[in-house]
Coordinates of all heavy atoms in Angstrom, one line a residue:
R256 N 9.2 -26.1 -8.5 CA 10.2 -27.0 -8.0 C 10.2 -27.1 -6.5 O 10.9 -27.9 -5.8 CB 11.6 -26.9 -8.6 CG 11.6 -27.0 -10.1 CD 13.0 -26.9 -10.6 NE 13.9 -27.9 -10.0 CZ 15.2 -27.7 -9.9 NH1 15.8 -26.6 -10.4 NH2 16.0 -28.6 -9.3
L257 N 9.6 -26.1 -5.9 CA 9.6 -26.0 -4.4 C 8.7 -27.0 -3.7 O 7.7 -27.3 -4.2 CB 9.2 -24.6 -4.0 CG 10.2 -23.5 -4.4 CD1 9.7 -22.2 -4.1 CD2 11.6 -23.7 -3.8
M258 N 9.2 -27.6 -2.7 CA 8.4 -28.7 -2.0 C 7.6 -28.3 -0.7 O 6.5 -28.7 -0.5 CB 9.4 -29.9 -1.6 CG 10.0 -30.6 -2.7 SD 11.0 -31.8 -2.0 CE 11.8 -32.5 -3.5
R259 N 8.3 -27.4 0.0 CA 7.6 -26.9 1.2 C 6.7 -25.7 0.9 O 6.9 -24.8 0.2 CB 8.7 -26.5 2.2 CG 9.6 -27.6 2.7 CD 10.6 -27.1 3.6 NE 10.1 -26.1 4.5 CZ 10.8 -25.7 5.6 NH1 12.0 -26.1 5.9 NH2 10.3 -24.8 6.4
D260 N 5.5 -25.7 1.7 CA 4.5 -24.7 1.5 C 5.1 -23.3 1.8 O 4.8 -22.3 1.1 CB 3.3 -25.0 2.5 CG 2.5 -26.1 1.9 OD1 2.6 -26.5 0.7 OD2 1.6 -26.7 2.7
D261 N 5.9 -23.3 2.9 CA 6.4 -21.9 3.3 C 7.4 -21.4 2.2 O 7.4 -20.2 1.9 CB 7.1 -21.9 4.6 CG 8.2 -23.0 4.8 OD1 8.4 -23.8 3.9 OD2 8.9 -22.9 5.8
A262 N 8.2 -22.2 1.6 CA 9.0 -21.8 0.4 C 8.1 -21.4 -0.8 O 8.5 -20.4 -1.4 CB 10.0 -23.0 0.0
R263 N 7.1 -22.0 -1.1 CA 6.1 -21.6 -2.2 C 5.5 -20.3 -1.8 O 5.4 -19.5 -2.7 CB 5.2 -22.8 -2.4 CG 5.7 -23.9 -3.3 CD 4.6 -24.8 -3.8 NE 3.8 -25.5 -2.7 CZ 4.2 -26.7 -2.2 NH1 5.2 -27.3 -2.6 NH2 3.5 -27.2 -1.3
V264 N 5.1 -20.1 -0.6 CA 4.5 -18.8 -0.1 C 5.5 -17.7 -0.3 O 5.1 -16.7 -0.8 CB 4.0 -18.9 1.4 CG1 3.6 -17.5 1.8 CG2 2.8 -19.8 1.4
L265 N 6.8 -18.0 0.1 CA 7.8 -16.9 -0.1 C 8.0 -16.6 -1.6 O 8.0 -15.4 -1.9 CB 9.1 -17.5 0.5 CG 10.4 -16.5 0.3 CD1 10.2 -15.2 1.0 CD2 11.6 -17.2 0.7
A266 N 8.1 -17.6 -2.5 CA 8.2 -17.3 -3.8 C 7.1 -16.6 -4.5 O 7.2 -15.7 -5.2 CB 8.5 -18.7 -4.6
Q267 N 5.8 -17.0 -4.1 CA 4.7 -16.3 -4.6 C 4.6 -14.9 -4.1 O 4.3 -13.9 -4.9 CB 3.4 -17.0 -4.2 CG 2.2 -16.4 -4.7 CD 2.1 -16.3 -6.2 OE1 2.4 -17.3 -6.9 NE2 1.7 -15.1 -6.8
S268 N 5.0 -14.6 -2.8 CA 5.1 -13.3 -2.3 C 6.1 -12.5 -3.0 O 5.9 -11.3 -3.3 CB 5.4 -13.3 -0.8 OG 4.4 -14.0 -0.1
E269 N 7.2 -13.1 -3.4 CA 8.2 -12.4 -4.1 C 7.8 -12.0 -5.5 O 8.0 -10.9 -6.0 CB 9.5 -13.3 -4.3 CG 10.8 -12.6 -4.8 CD 11.3 -11.6 -3.7 OE1 11.2 -11.8 -2.6 OE2 11.8 -10.6 -4.2
V270 N 7.1 -12.9 -6.2 CA 6.5 -12.6 -7.4 C 5.6 -11.4 -7.4 O 5.7 -10.4 -8.2 CB 5.8 -13.8 -8.1 CG1 5.0 -13.4 -9.3 CG2 6.8 -14.9 -8.5
E271 N 4.7 -11.4 -6.4 CA 3.8 -10.3 -6.3 C 4.4 -9.0 -5.9 O 4.2 -7.9 -6.5 CB 2.7 -10.7 -5.2 CG 1.8 -11.8 -5.6 CD 1.0 -12.3 -4.5 OE1 1.0 -11.8 -3.4 OE2 0.3 -13.4 -4.7
E272 N 5.4 -9.1 -5.0 CA 6.2 -7.8 -4.6 C 6.9 -7.3 -5.8 O 6.9 -6.1 -6.0 CB 7.1 -8.2 -3.4 CG 8.0 -7.1 -3.0 CD 9.0 -7.4 -1.9 OE1 9.4 -8.6 -1.9 OE2 9.4 -6.5 -1.2
Q273 N 7.8 -8.1 -6.5 CA 8.6 -7.6 -7.5 C 7.7 -7.1 -8.7 O 8.1 -6.1 -9.4 CB 9.6 -8.6 -8.0 CG 10.6 -9.0 -7.0 CD 11.3 -7.8 -6.5 OE1 11.6 -6.8 -7.2 NE2 11.8 -7.8 -5.2
T274 N 6.6 -7.7 -9.0 CA 5.7 -7.3 -10.0 C 5.1 -5.9 -9.8 O 5.2 -5.0 -10.6 CB 4.5 -8.3 -10.2 OG1 5.0 -9.5 -10.6 CG2 3.6 -7.8 -11.3
S275 N 4.7 -5.7 -8.5 CA 4.2 -4.3 -8.1 C 5.3 -3.3 -8.1 O 5.1 -2.1 -8.4 CB 3.4 -4.3 -6.8 OG 4.2 -4.6 -5.7
L276 N 6.4 -3.7 -7.5 CA 7.6 -2.7 -7.5 C 8.1 -2.3 -8.9 O 8.4 -1.2 -9.1 CB 8.7 -3.3 -6.7 CG 8.5 -3.4 -5.2 CD1 9.7 -4.1 -4.5 CD2 8.4 -2.0 -4.6
A277 N 8.1 -3.3 -9.8 CA 8.5 -3.0 -11.2 C 7.5 -2.1 -11.8 O 7.9 -1.1 -12.5 CB 8.6 -4.3 -12.0
A278 N 6.3 -2.2 -11.5 CA 5.3 -1.3 -12.1 C 5.5 0.1 -11.6 O 5.3 1.2 -12.3 CB 3.8 -1.8 -11.9
K279 N 5.7 0.3 -10.2 CA 5.9 1.5 -9.6 C 7.2 2.1 -10.1 O 7.2 3.3 -10.4 CB 5.9 1.4 -8.2 CG 5.9 2.7 -7.4 CD 4.9 3.8 -7.8 CE 3.5 3.6 -7.2 NZ 2.5 4.6 -7.6
L280 N 8.2 1.4 -10.2 CA 9.5 2.0 -10.7 C 9.3 2.5 -12.1 O 9.8 3.5 -12.5 CB 10.6 0.9 -10.8 CG 11.3 0.7 -9.4 CD1 12.3 -0.5 -9.5 CD2 12.1 1.8 -8.9
Q281 N 8.5 1.7 -13.0 CA 8.4 2.2 -14.3 C 7.6 3.5 -14.3 O 7.8 4.3 -15.2 CB 7.7 1.1 -15.2 CG 7.5 1.4 -16.6 CD 8.8 1.7 -17.3 OE1 9.7 0.9 -17.2 NE2 8.9 2.8 -17.9
E282 N 6.6 3.5 -13.5 CA 5.7 4.8 -13.4 C 6.6 6.0 -13.0 O 6.5 7.1 -13.6 CB 4.6 4.5 -12.4 CG 3.7 5.7 -12.2 CD 2.6 5.5 -11.1 OE1 2.6 4.4 -10.6 OE2 2.1 6.5 -10.6
I283 N 7.5 5.8 -12.1 CA 8.4 6.9 -11.6 C 9.3 7.2 -12.8 O 9.5 8.5 -13.0 CB 9.1 6.5 -10.3 CG1 8.0 6.4 -9.1 CG2 10.2 7.5 -10.0 CD1 8.6 5.7 -7.9
A284 N 9.9 6.3 -13.3 CA 10.9 6.5 -14.4 C 10.3 7.2 -15.5 O 10.8 8.2 -16.1 CB 11.5 5.2 -14.8
S285 N 9.1 6.9 -16.0 CA 8.3 7.5 -17.0 C 8.1 8.9 -16.7 O 8.3 9.7 -17.5 CB 7.1 6.8 -17.3 OG 7.3 5.5 -17.9
A286 N 7.6 9.2 -15.5 CA 7.4 10.6 -15.1 C 8.7 11.4 -15.1 O 8.6 12.6 -15.4 CB 6.8 10.6 -13.7
K287 N 9.8 10.8 -14.8 CA 11.0 11.5 -14.7 C 11.8 11.5 -16.1 O 12.9 12.1 -16.2 CB 12.0 10.8 -13.8 CG 11.5 10.6 -12.4 CD 11.5 11.9 -11.6 CE 11.1 11.7 -10.1 NZ 10.9 12.9 -9.5
G288 N 11.2 10.9 -17.1 CA 11.8 10.9 -18.4 C 13.1 9.9 -18.4 O 14.1 10.2 -19.3
F289 N 13.1 8.9 -17.7 CA 14.2 8.1 -17.5 C 13.9 6.6 -18.0 O 12.8 6.1 -17.6 CB 14.7 8.0 -16.0 CG 15.7 7.1 -15.7 CD1 17.0 7.1 -16.2 CD2 15.4 6.0 -14.8 CE1 18.0 6.2 -15.8 CE2 16.4 5.1 -14.5 CZ 17.7 5.2 -15.0
A290 N 14.7 6.0 -18.8 CA 14.4 4.6 -19.2 C 15.1 3.6 -18.3 O 16.3 3.6 -18.1 CB 14.9 4.5 -20.7
L291 N 14.3 2.7 -17.8 CA 14.9 1.6 -17.0 C 15.5 0.5 -17.9 O 14.9 0.4 -19.0 CB 13.8 1.0 -16.1 CG 13.2 1.9 -15.0 CD1 12.0 1.2 -14.3 CD2 14.3 2.2 -14.0
P292 N 16.4 -0.3 -17.3 CA 16.9 -1.3 -18.2 C 15.8 -2.3 -18.5 O 14.9 -2.6 -17.6 CB 18.0 -2.0 -17.3 CG 17.8 -1.5 -16.0 CD 17.0 -0.3 -16.0
A293 N 15.8 -2.9 -19.7 CA 14.9 -3.9 -20.1 C 15.2 -5.3 -19.8 O 14.5 -6.3 -19.9 CB 14.6 -3.8 -21.6
T294 N 16.4 -5.5 -19.2 CA 16.9 -6.8 -19.0 C 17.2 -7.0 -17.4 O 17.5 -6.0 -16.8 CB 18.2 -7.1 -19.7 OG1 19.2 -6.2 -19.4 CG2 18.0 -7.2 -21.2
P295 N 17.1 -8.2 -16.9 CA 17.4 -8.5 -15.6 C 18.9 -8.4 -15.3 O 19.7 -8.2 -16.2 CB 17.0 -10.0 -15.4 CG 16.3 -10.3 -16.5 CD 16.6 -9.4 -17.6
D296 N 19.2 -8.5 -14.0 CA 20.6 -8.4 -13.6 C 21.4 -9.4 -14.4 O 21.0 -10.5 -14.7 CB 20.7 -8.7 -12.1 CG 22.0 -8.4 -11.4 OD1 22.9 -9.2 -11.7 OD2 22.2 -7.4 -10.7
A297 N 22.7 -9.0 -14.6 CA 23.6 -9.9 -15.5 C 23.9 -11.2 -14.7 O 24.4 -12.1 -15.5 CB 24.9 -9.1 -15.8
E298 N 23.7 -11.3 -13.5 CA 23.9 -12.5 -12.8 C 22.9 -13.6 -13.1 O 23.1 -14.8 -12.7 CB 23.9 -12.3 -11.3 CG 25.0 -11.6 -10.7 CD 24.9 -11.4 -9.2 OE1 24.5 -12.3 -8.5 OE2 25.3 -10.3 -8.7

Side-chain angles (χ1 to χ4, degrees):
R256 296 186 57 205
L257 297 172
M258 294 182 183
R259 293 179 40 171
D260 288 341
D261 55 350
R263 282 194 295 272
V264 167
L265 175 64
Q267 182 59 45
S268 296
E269 191 68 35
V270 167
E271 292 168 8
E272 176 184 28
Q273 293 304 332
T274 299
S275 72
L276 287 172
K279 186 53 79 171
L280 279 174
Q281 185 58 52
E282 180 185 347
I283 293 168
S285 293
K287 304 285 187 185
F289 173 66
L291 292 173
T294 56
D296 192 286
E298 289 182 38

